[in-house]
Amino acid sequence: MSVQTSPADPADAAYPVRFGAARAWLFGLGLAAVAVGLVTAVAQALGRFHWWAGFVLTPGALIAACGVPLLVRGGSRALVGYVVACLGVLVSAVGALLMLAAMGFGWPLMISLPALSIAGTYLWRPEHPLLRVLHRTVALLGLVVVGLGVAFLLGHTGRVRLPAGWWGAFLMAAGLVIAANGVEAARHRMPYRLPAVTLAIGPAVLAFLLGLRFLRGF
């Protein structure tokens, strides 16, 4: 016994996709509204409310919300959605710092947040081994820069006393990341494997020695 398909079936099949996209839009807009409302409420409670900063905070939150529907689609569109969402978060962060009059205190976030967005692209790994190693290197270097921004923020508070030349430790960490990924490239059977490893080891050694020099007192 065969089952006949009615003309309404294609529309019914597309309905869950549209419904899922609608939920994603509502979720993104809801998060944007909550974020804007929370920052505004905190600013008013602290007596630091600057209404004009809402013209930066609100568009940034809406830009971030526009990336959510693309994120839930998956595939290459998810990467585009991620970039849009990160851009919106960065704009929103600037708006929040301006509204709270905390740019002088929170400027290290402008180092950590972009670097964190770069590190997050690790979820989308290229298929080619050489491109994958290069992308992993950039993503892990993003994590190193995140740590650098956090260290700046802690030192800016005055509660943590950092030694002279402390940023040299992050240069050393960057060198180790580059060297480790260069060695990883040697494991893959691909053309130009040895030149790729050589090009990675050179900057890695230079960054490590320069960081060590800063740490000891240049």
Side-chain angles (χ1 to χ4, degrees), residues 72-189:
V72 301
R73 295 292 295 271
S76 59
R77 293 183 180 181
L79 179 57
V80 176
Y82 177 80
V83 173
V84 172
C86 289
L87 178 62
V89 169
L90 291 176
V91 175
S92 297
V94 173
L97 291 176
L98 291 175
M99 182 171 286
L100 293 167
M103 185 62 75
F105 172 78
W107 63 264
L109 292 177
M110 299 298 101
I111 299 175
S112 295
L113 289 179
L116 186 61
S117 64
I118 293 174
T121 62
Y122 184 78
L123 298 174
W124 291 273
R125 290 177 290 181
E127 295 183 1
H128 193 279
L130 183 59
L131 293 178
R132 188 162 59 247
V133 170
L134 179 61
H135 177 248
R136 182 170 58 240
T137 302
V138 174
L140 293 178
L141 287 176
L143 285 180
V144 175
V145 178
V146 170
L148 178 65
V150 172
F152 269 119
L153 185 61
L154 292 176
H156 196 52
T157 61
R159 297 182 179 180
V160 177
R161 186 173 182 179
L162 299 173
W166 58 268
W167 55 84
F170 291 93
L171 273 176
M172 295 173 65
L176 291 176
V177 167
I178 297 172
N181 283 281
V183 173
E184 173 66 18
R187 297 178 56 252
H188 301 283
R189 295 181 179 179

